[in-house]
Structures are given as C-alpha cells and as structure tokens.
Amino acid sequence: MNELPTKSYLNDPKGLKSWLLTLDHKRIGLLYLFSIMAAFALGGIFAMLIRLELLSPGKDFMEADTYNQLFTLHGAIMIFLFIIPSIPAILGNFALPLMIGAKDVAFPRLNLASWYIYILGSAFAVYSMVAGAADTGWTFYTPYSTETTTSVISMTLGAFILGFSSIFTGLNFIVTIHKLRSPGMSWFKMPLFVWGLYATAIIQVLATPVLGITLLLLIIERVAGIGIFDPAMGGDPVLYQHFFWFYSHPAVYIMILPGMGIISELISVFSNKKIFGYKAIAFSSLGIAFVSFLVWGHHMFVSGQSELAAMIFSFLTFFVGIPSGIKVFNWVTTMYRGSISLKTPMLYALSFLFLFTIGGLTGIFLGALSVDVHLHDTYFIVAHFHYVMMGGTVMAFLGGVHYWWPKIWGRMYSELWARISVALIFVGFNVTFFSQFILGSQGMPRRYYNYLDQYQPLHAFSTYGSWILGLGFVIMAVYLVHSLFKGRVAGSNPWGALTFEWTTASPPPHENFATIPETTHGPYDFDKIVPKRTLTED
Amino acid sequence: MDTTGTIFLPPGQSTISGEVDALFNFILFASILLFLLVVILSGYFVFRYRRRTVPGTTYGKDHNVKLEIAWTVIPTILIIIVFIWGFRTFLKMRVVPKDAIEIKVTGQKWFWSFDYPEGVNTVNELVVPVDKPVKLLMSSKDVIHSFFVPNFRIKMDVLPNRYSITWFEATSAGEYNLFCTEFCGTGHSEMIGRVKVVSEKEYGEWLEATAIPAEGISPVEYGARLYQSKACITCHSVDGSLNTGPTFYKKFGEQEMMADGSSVKVDENYLRESILNPNARVVAGYAPVMPTYQGILKDREIDALIAFIKSLKEDTTANDE
Ligand SMILES: [Cu+2]
Ligand SMILES: [Cu+2]
C-alpha cells in the first residue's frame, strides 16, 4: 500500500503566513483554486436564482431591477472572476512548471502579486454588489451604463483591476515557456496543454489592455462627464461596442484555448494512445489566437455597422471555426485503436467533445449574416455561449481538476460519486440549455425579466434542468472535500501518463523534482513506452 | 414565405423570411450530419477499443495526410457556401425598395412610437398594409433599443442621436410580436409592441379614421410650419434662390461639396447633423454662420424638418433613394 510522502509542498513549510507569502507556483495555484471556486459558487447561486425567477412569466419572487442586477452579476462574476482565470491561474499555475520540468514559473513574485491583484479586483466586484449592484449586463453597453444609477464604477473598476492579474499571469507564462523548459524539451516535445497556455497568454497580454482602456474611458465619462460614448455628451455609443468586443471576443479564446489543451492531454492519456496530429493541434491554437483578434464585429451585425464591415467580419468568423473543427477531428481520431478507459476525467473529455461540438456548430448559425439578424440577442445566443463556455471550458476545467487532483493532494476522490456527478451535470446541462436554443430561434429575447406565455413550457423545462445541474455540483463539492481526508493514496502516476508531472511524488515536493528531469521521449509516446502505473485498474 | 414554422422557427411572414429559413435549415441539416459523425465515431471507438486489461504499447500512427486534407477542405467549402448565402440575403435586408412606405419609429424607455407620413401617430402598435414594403426610419430618445419582429426575421438596433434603417414586406395579414432586444433597463421586457398587418383597403380606412385633423398634421406640413416659425426661412430658400445659406430645393439625395474639399451625400443623418451641429461640416461657398439648434428643436421637430426638406425634392424628381 502506498503512503503519502512525509514532506511535500502542502506541509513544508507550515503556517498561514507561509501560504499567504508563498512564492511556490503550486501553492499559488491552490490560493487561486479556493478563491476562484468561491466566485464560481456565487455565480452559480445567482444563476439558480435567475432560473427560478424565470420558472413562470411575470413576478415570481423578485422585482425586475433585482433580476437585472442578478444577471449582470452572474455574467460579470462568471466571466471575469471565474472562467477567464480558472484554467490558467489554477491548473496552469499548478501544472505548467511541472509539465516542462521546471522548478517554478519565471517570476514567482509577480505570480503572487497577480493573486493579490485578483483578490483586490474581486473585492471591488463584491463591494459593488452591496453598494447597489450594476444592472447593465456584463457588457456594460453605453449609454445605458453611463446613465444608470447603480454602482457601475466599482464593478468596472473591479474588472479593470482583474485585467492586470490576467496580464501578469500571461506574461509570466510566456517567459516561463520560453526560458524554463527542461533540457531536451524542444517546442514540439511540449505537452499540448502548454501550447494551449502559450496561445492563451499571448491573447491575455495583447488584448486585455484594450479592455482596461475601455473600462477606464467609461469610468472617466461617468466621473468627469467627458463625452466619449454617451451621445448626450457628444460621444458615440457604438464606439464603445467596438472597443469592448475588441477585447471580449479574443477573451472567448482566453477561456477556451487552455480548455482545449486539457482535452488533448485527457484524450491521449485515457486512450493510452499517441495524440493524432500533434502539430495541427499546436498550430491551430496559435491560428485561433491570431484570427480571434479580427472578428469582434460579429457581435455587431445589427448595430448599424456598414455592410462591408459586416461582410468581412462574417467571413473571418467562419475562418476561426476551421481550426476548432480540426482539433475535434484530431481528438476523435486519437481514440482510434487506443485502449480507452472511462475514468471520470475521460468522461469530462467526452462530454466536452459532445457539448463543444454543439457549441461550435451553432456558432455557424450566428456567423451567417442573414440568420444572425434573426438570432442576435435572443436565447439562441445564450444557449450557444453556454455550450461553448460551460460545455467547453468548464467541462475541460472539471476534467483537468479531476485529472490533476491526485497530483495536487496525493489522494483519489470516489470514482463512483464522481461518475454520478458527471452524469447529473451532463444531463442537467443539456436540459437547461438545449431548450434555450429552441426558445431563442422562436424569438425569445435575452435579458427578459418577463416573457410571453407561449415561451413558458421551455422556460420551465430549462429551470428543471438547472436543478439537476446544481445537484451535480453539490455532490462534487462533497466528494472532493471528502477525498482530502479519506481518499485512497494515489501514488505518483495513477493514470499512466507520460508527462513530467507524473514522474515526481504526489503531492510533489516544494522544489518539484529531486533532479531536473530530462526529455527522452515525446509527451504522448504510448506507442513506444509503457508507463508505470501506481494504481491498478478497477 | 413559408408560413408553417418548425420546432425551431416561428412561422415566417415576410418576403425575406423564406430565404433566412432556408439557410437556417441548411446549416441545421449540415450540423446534424457533422455532429452525428463526431458522436457516432467517438461512441464506436469508446465501445470498440475500451480498456479490458492493463494496456501495453498502442498503435502509433499520428498523421494521415489524405484524412487531414479532407477534414480541412470539406468544412471550408461548406462554410464558404454558408457565408455567401448569408451575405446575399443580408444585403437584401439592407437595401430598401424604392416604393416603400416610410414610417418613423421612436424607441424610448419603455415603449415604441410610430409616426406615419399622413400625420398619424401610434404607440406600441405598428399598422401596415400587406404585400407592401415598409421602410422604418428609427431613432431612440434615450439608450440603445433594438427593433425585432421574429415573424419577419428582421432586427435592427435603435440608437440615440442617429438614424438606423430597416425594412420589411409582410406577406400575410395578422398580428405579430415586436420585441426590444437590446437591454434598456427596468422595463426592457415590457417593451413589447404589436405589428398589425392588414389589407391595403383596411390600411387606408384605418389611416383615415386615426388621423385627427386638428393636431394630426403630417410631418411634412409640420416641418413646413417649423421652417417658418424656427426662422430657417431667413437663411434658406425653398425655390432654389440664393441666400445666406444653401437652398433646400432638390437638396435631399444630392452629393454636396464641403468647404474642406470632401463631398457628402445629403441623407437623414447628414441633415440632422447640419441642424444640430452645423459647423461640423460646412458647405463649400458658405460662411459658418448657422446657429446650432441643439436643445432648441425636439427630436420630432427635427424629424419633421427633415421630412419637409425631403419633400422639396419629391415634386420634381422621382424618389430614388
Ligand atoms: Cu465574439
Ligand atoms: Cu430594451
């Protein structure tokens, strides 16, 4: 029977102070884990309340203004506090140096600073909730956001500050990946999760400043009354939309690219199979990162932008879809002639394949100009981005959490309960959101507190789905916490993976590796090497 | 023009809805095929190659040029088809037929109002004749709203300080929902109107019955009065004669030279800008002496003046906007 190592990054050194001032990337990853999970829980509770209010038309238990604040908070928290930092800041921080055989990230102090900045930004966001939460939607469109009396400033300031945290993490990762790879690890021997983080970091560094500027301009307009976006003061509201989406479209890829990286790891490891099309997957990440800067106008097809602009944006939008499609085909092909194990992380990877494919394909509807005119700002959009963000990024994130969990803590969670939970989440998700595709194409506009009777059955259906989904997450919280104390000891390599993080102890020592590992084989060479497993199959 | 509707789409009742729906259904069909391809293949692999014993080494081929070309080229062809198809219908949505009836739409927290050329004004109820193109000239009095009629498959944002234009031609009589789809505050979800499509004959009768002679004068007549009462007449002629400012005669739709050498097409947005911010673009050959009417003229009055200026062109030349 395995034993946990007596000394690991978790217990050496001890004490609260050693955690709050830690420069260890693994501990910083955990600080992020706890804070980001708190944000996720909050955003999730708001989501449940929104769905509950929408159970029937008219007022169920809250006023229109409260509802408007809730969907704004749900969106802002989930985007800025949860999903953007989730994979890079938690799993990236924990796994990136381990995966490239490094002792830490390039700038450990900057890494800790980025966590404190995250906390500061979140504090502003939380403050804005108590001080009359913003009711603008997470997009803060002008001139509504300049006119509303709610606390737009503290919320935007929060998002502005959070942007710096994101930039710092991105910067740190870029330098780490360039400089700290272990001897022999050429670019094409890097695990694909590292490629995903690299492409993401480029977008984080290049696009986030634009969001910062935009939000700052908005704040200046509100505080100093200088007309930038508000037509009443001589500004241009559509300019705001251009600025906003110039960041927020690439941000979609900040959310999905690292998720795609995780999926590449999971599918290869749990199929015990060399990844198909390594270079295609790596380059398509970079391709997506590049083209994603040039498609923002697809959020504005009915805003009055010129036909020429609409045409160009529609065209480019389709082209950002191709690399994603290529990845999906590569993942499916990877499973061919593998040895496929249906452990929980793989179930998440398969859910991702299913849901992300739907999310991606429904994007084709929205890229087509004439069809988008009908679907824009309806529930179809809501369903589409939940399939991409939750069906894509969150499924990948959860897959990653379950995959690296034994490495992080040295212990396994209950496989049975984990499977029950993933089943509930999968079913609940589809019940909640597939119905919204139909609602939307039938004309139901988004951000509606009240709705016409004809939409009621599907709204009710969607709300029932949210209960199943919620139950799945509650179960997950329980078995994950339980595993910390009672979980079976995992050993260094429970899944039989070939990347570096599985060569060191679980949980790893403070300095990651006793000796810096050398790259002798590719990350997915399952055709040549039989990994040593520390857990037997059951 | 298909009026039945599907599980996904509500019945389509405008001249372009048929085209939109055809593309929607094409994408739906192609998506289902691709989706099934992914799901069935993954499902088959998972079943066929599921792990039974502790695995040894596995099959190592990690590329296949033919396969990779196929899954790049086929989707590319598909999306090019979809792109062109979508763009062509989109252009039709944007080009207003010449003989369209023009109705002014005003969005405001949280209702819609409609001004007809005959001087009729309605709130939250847009009455239009069937089989006739209707042009909507839209603006907002406060924040951004968006005009959406699901059955017609049209949607257009309604902005403050700027006109946006959309049009439709209803193909069957009936009543349809009109939603605001850009979040605009507390009453956003109450900003619901109705579009009533009636026969041409009923439309004429309705207009007559609704127009109240005393206050219900047409925007053109209203504009003509304002032209005198707001003193435009002191600087602008309506018969082509020269004055301090350029004449309004045959102005609308023309190309105009500016003092800085650029040229501008005289359309609604330009006229509005000229009235509210006259020195933004000064007409070549004139001094920048026109006062700004910002804060003096209400939106409706500006609309009326624009309608009036437009009418000065209609008597002589065909409407060709
Ligand atoms: Cu986008
Ligand atoms: Cu609205």
Side-chain angles (χ1 to χ4, degrees):
Chain A
M1 188 62 220
N2 290 319
E3 286 287 337
L4 284 188
T6 45
K7 250 184 165 194
S8 75
Y9 81 99
L10 286 174
N11 56 20
D12 172 38
K14 282 196 170 65
L16 187 65
K17 199 173 144 219
S18 76
W19 277 86
L20 291 178
L21 295 180
T22 181
L23 299 179
D24 182 343
H25 67 98
K26 303 180 286 304
R27 286 191 168 195
I28 294 172
L30 287 190
L31 293 177
Y32 267 118
L33 175 72
F34 293 120
S35 31
I36 290 175
M37 285 299 102
F40 181 58
L42 198 62
I45 291 170
F46 291 154
M48 302 295 288
L49 291 175
I50 291 170
R51 280 310 330 160
L52 202 56
E53 172 57 41
L54 291 173
L55 189 55
S56 60
K59 181 180 167 173
D60 286 17
F61 68 101
M62 65 174 87
E63 296 297 333
D65 286 332
T66 317
Y67 175 84
N68 295 341
Q69 292 173 317
L70 275 183
F71 77 67
T72 303
L73 289 175
H74 165 70
I77 289 178
M78 287 303 203
I79 301 268
F80 295 115
L81 271 67
F82 168 64
I83 210 164
I84 288 180
S86 64
I87 298 180
I90 301 173
L91 298 173
N93 250 326
F94 182 86
L96 169 65
L98 286 166
M99 289 179 102
I100 60 174
K103 282 192 167 129
D104 208 315
V105 293
F107 309 118
R109 283 196 174 74
L110 187 66
N111 202 15
L112 182 66
S114 79
W115 180 71
Y116 277 103
I117 293 171
Y118 172 85
I119 295 296
L120 183 69
S122 310
F124 271 98
V126 171
Y127 167 76
S128 103
M129 279 175 228
V130 271
D135 67 342
T136 57
W138 76 278
T139 44
F140 307 115
Y141 267 22
T142 54
Y144 187 80
S145 56
T146 14
E147 288 173 14
T148 177
T149 53
T150 54
S151 65
V152 170
I153 293 184
S154 47
M155 192 45 137
T156 42
L157 205 57
F160 175 75
I161 295 171
L162 288 167
F164 283 96
S165 163
S166 184
I167 294 171
F168 287 171
T169 304
L171 204 68
N172 219 337
F173 284 5
I174 291 178
V175 179
T176 307
I177 293 168
H178 272 274
K179 290 289 171 201
L180 299 186
R181 280 173 285 134
S182 83
M185 182 177 279
S186 60
W187 283 85
F188 294 116
K189 289 226 164 96
M190 289 188 334
L192 285 162
F193 180 49
V194 177
W195 273 103
L197 288 173
Y198 185 70
T200 309
I202 291 175
I203 311 180
Q204 281 177 304
V205 170
L206 293 182
T208 317
V210 179
L211 177 75
I213 293 165
T214 312
L215 297 179
L216 211 56
L217 287 174
L218 186 65
I219 293 170
I220 290 173
E221 177 168 276
R222 271 188 73 110
V223 175
I226 297 171
I228 298 160
F229 304 124
D230 188 348
M233 298 186 263
D236 182 354
V238 180
L239 178 67
Y240 173 85
Q241 297 178 22
H242 280 290
F243 273 170
F244 182 82
W245 290 114
F246 185 85
Y247 164 75
S248 295
H249 188 79
V252 171
Y253 295 96
I254 295 183
M255 307 178 213
I256 195 70
L257 281 172
M260 291 171 155
I262 294 180
I263 296 304
S264 302
E265 302 296 324
L266 298 184
I267 294 203
S268 172
V269 168
F270 289 88
S271 303
N272 195 69
K273 175 73 197 301
K274 188 165 193 172
I275 192 102
F276 190 90
Y278 175 96
K279 283 194 182 170
I281 295 180
F283 283 129
S284 62
S285 293
L286 292 180
I288 290 173
F290 178 69
V291 185
S292 74
F293 278 100
L294 306 172
V295 301
W296 78 91
H298 66 205
H299 298 267
M300 301 171 60
F301 288 153
V302 303
S303 71
Q305 77 183 351
S306 75
E307 285 77 23
L308 180 68
M311 181 187 90
I312 294 169
F313 283 126
S314 165
F315 188 74
L316 292 171
T317 298
F318 283 123
F319 272 88
V320 92
I322 296 283
S324 305
I326 291 176
K327 283 184 196 251
V328 169
F329 291 126
N330 278 303
W331 292 322
V332 173
T333 315
T334 299
M335 294 191 280
Y336 173 68
R337 293 182 67 177
S339 165
I340 300 172
S341 147
L342 290 180
K343 286 283 166 65
T344 306
M346 185 61 167
L347 293 179
Y348 277 110
L350 293 172
S351 303
F352 173 100
L353 268 189
F354 188 99
L355 303 174
F356 179 73
T357 303
I358 296 180
L361 289 169
T362 50
I364 306 286
F365 290 79
L366 301 171
L369 285 165
S370 61
V371 178
D372 180 70
V373 168
H374 178 62
L375 298 175
H376 179 75
D377 268 346
T378 66
Y379 265 65
F380 195 94
I381 302 280
V382 178
H384 162 71
F385 69 69
H386 278 92
Y387 266 83
V388 178
M389 306 285 64
M390 185 158 185
T393 308
V394 177
M395 290 300 143
F397 171 68
L398 295 176
V401 166
H402 285 81
Y403 175 59
W404 282 296
W405 194 259
K407 182 54 62 183
I408 296 174
W409 304 105
R411 290 182 186 276
M412 299 297 297
Y413 43 83
S414 152
E415 182 67 23
L416 175 68
W417 282 106
R419 286 182 183 189
I420 293 173
S421 156
V422 66
L424 287 173
I425 289 174
F426 182 78
V427 172
F429 176 85
N430 281 298
V431 172
T432 309
F433 292 106
F434 199 82
S435 44
Q436 297 187 2
F437 280 123
I438 303 174
L439 274 176
S441 58
Q442 288 287 351
M444 171 75 211
R446 69 191 282 202
R447 297 176 172 173
Y448 262 32
Y449 164 69
N450 191 4
Y451 54 81
L452 300 180
D453 290 342
Q454 71 197 71
Y455 299 119
Q456 214 244 326
L458 284 169
H459 266 299
F461 193 68
S462 177
T463 300
Y464 302 146
S466 72
W467 298 341
I468 306 176
L469 195 55
L471 179 66
F473 278 107
V474 171
I475 292 178
M476 182 189 299
V478 173
Y479 72 71
L480 284 183
V481 171
H482 179 262
S483 75
L484 298 186
F485 307 99
K486 294 276 154 64
R488 187 152 65 108
V489 173
S492 62
N493 193 1
W495 311 120
L498 293 176
T499 40
F500 282 152
E501 77 271 34
W502 305 103
T503 59
T504 186
S506 309
H510 172 74
E511 65 286 354
N512 289 352
F513 303 96
T515 49
I516 287 297
E518 222 169 296
T519 307
T520 50
H521 56 75
Y524 312 109
D525 282 351
F526 292 103
D527 53 335
K528 302 194 192 93
I529 297 163
V530 180
K532 284 193 195 69
R533 289 158 198 278
T534 52
L535 271 192
T536 47
E537 298 282 320
D538 45 8
Chain B
M1 266 182 283
D2 154 39
T3 50
T4 45
T6 62
I7 156 156
F8 278 105
L9 291 164
Q13 265 120 355
S14 75
T15 45
I16 49 122
S17 64
E19 274 180 48
V20 175
D21 295 4
L23 178 54
F24 183 98
N25 289 326
F26 174 77
I27 304 174
L28 185 64
F29 180 73
S31 299
I32 291 175
L33 281 186
L34 282 170
F35 176 70
L36 287 180
L37 182 75
V38 169
V39 170
I40 291 176
L41 269 182
S42 326
Y44 173 73
F45 291 161
V46 167
F47 173 77
R48 172 77 177 68
Y49 304 113
R50 70 182 181 282
R51 191 173 298 179
R52 284 160 238 251
T53 53
V54 179
T57 54
T58 45
Y59 184 63
K61 196 159 159 47
D62 63 356
H63 60 272
N64 179 329
V65 178
K66 274 189 202 148
L67 198 61
E68 295 185 67
I69 288 179
W71 71 42
T72 312
V73 172
I74 295 172
T76 306
I77 293 173
L78 271 177
I79 60 168
I80 288 177
I81 296 173
V82 171
F83 160 72
I84 294 174
W85 193 340
F87 181 57
R88 290 180 57 152
T89 311
F90 182 70
L91 276 188
K92 288 189 196 164
M93 292 173 165
R94 286 292 176 95
V95 180
V96 186
K98 286 181 184 141
D99 54 339
I101 307 174
E102 184 175 312
I103 300 174
K104 174 76 198 9
V105 179
T106 308
Q108 177 171 359
K109 284 177 183 171
W110 288 280
F111 60 92
W112 301 98
S113 56
F114 305 100
D115 287 285
Y116 288 74
E118 290 79 4
V120 171
N121 174 283
T122 60
V123 168
N124 279 351
E125 189 181 62
L126 175 62
V127 181
V128 293
V130 70
D131 294 331
K132 273 231 140 197
V134 177
K135 172 183 174 185
L136 302 174
L137 183 64
M138 312 192 286
S139 67
S140 161
K141 286 212 167 153
D142 36 53
V143 299
I144 303 177
H145 302 277
S146 193
F147 183 97
F148 176 37
V149 182
N151 294 88
F152 299 164
R153 314 286 190 263
I154 58 158
K155 180 180 294 123
M156 190 72 200
D157 282 3
V158 179
L159 302 148
N161 253 27
R162 185 185 292 195
Y163 292 105
S164 52
I165 293 169
T166 189
W167 76 278
F168 63 88
E169 180 176 335
T171 51
S172 51
E175 281 201 32
Y176 309 109
N177 294 317
L178 153 62
F179 295 122
C180 172
T181 47
E182 187 60 65
F183 180 68
C184 56
T186 316
H188 173 52
S189 65
E190 307 302 325
M191 199 164 157
I192 299 181
R194 305 283 285 165
V195 183
K196 230 187 205 168
V197 179
V198 296
S199 72
E200 179 119 48
K201 186 162 154 287
E202 284 169 304
Y203 178 67
E205 290 167 2
W206 174 83
L207 274 178
E208 242 171 73
T210 322
I212 309 157
E215 52 161 307
I217 53 169
S218 77
V220 175
E221 280 172 60
Y222 189 31
R225 283 193 204 168
L226 292 166
Y227 166 67
Q228 300 193 355
S229 66
K230 303 285 178 190
C232 320
I233 194 168
T234 56
C235 302
H236 297 281
S237 79
V238 289
D239 58 9
S241 58
L242 292 177
N243 204 331
T244 323
T247 178
F248 288 159
Y249 181 59
K250 280 193 176 181
K251 173 109 313 175
F252 190 79
E254 296 297 302
Q255 226 30 61
E256 181 115 59
M257 283 300 291
M258 294 292 119
D260 62 9
S262 64
S263 94
V264 167
K265 184 168 186 275
V266 178
D267 61 10
E268 289 92 349
N269 280 315
Y270 169 71
L271 288 177
R272 184 183 173 93
E273 186 200 11
S274 300
I275 297 170
L276 291 177
N277 192 4
N279 293 341
R281 281 186 283 193
V282 175
V283 185
Y286 291 91
V289 292
M290 174 163 161
T292 167
Y293 280 84
Q294 185 99 47
I296 297 170
L297 292 173
K298 296 197 196 73
D299 265 8
R300 264 193 76 182
E301 295 173 323
I302 297 171
D303 297 339
L305 278 165
I306 292 172
F308 171 64
I309 294 172
K310 284 162 84 173
S311 76
L312 295 171
K313 157 191 187 228
E314 265 157 64
D315 340 314
T316 41
T317 43
N319 190 342
D320 63 355
E321 47 172 339

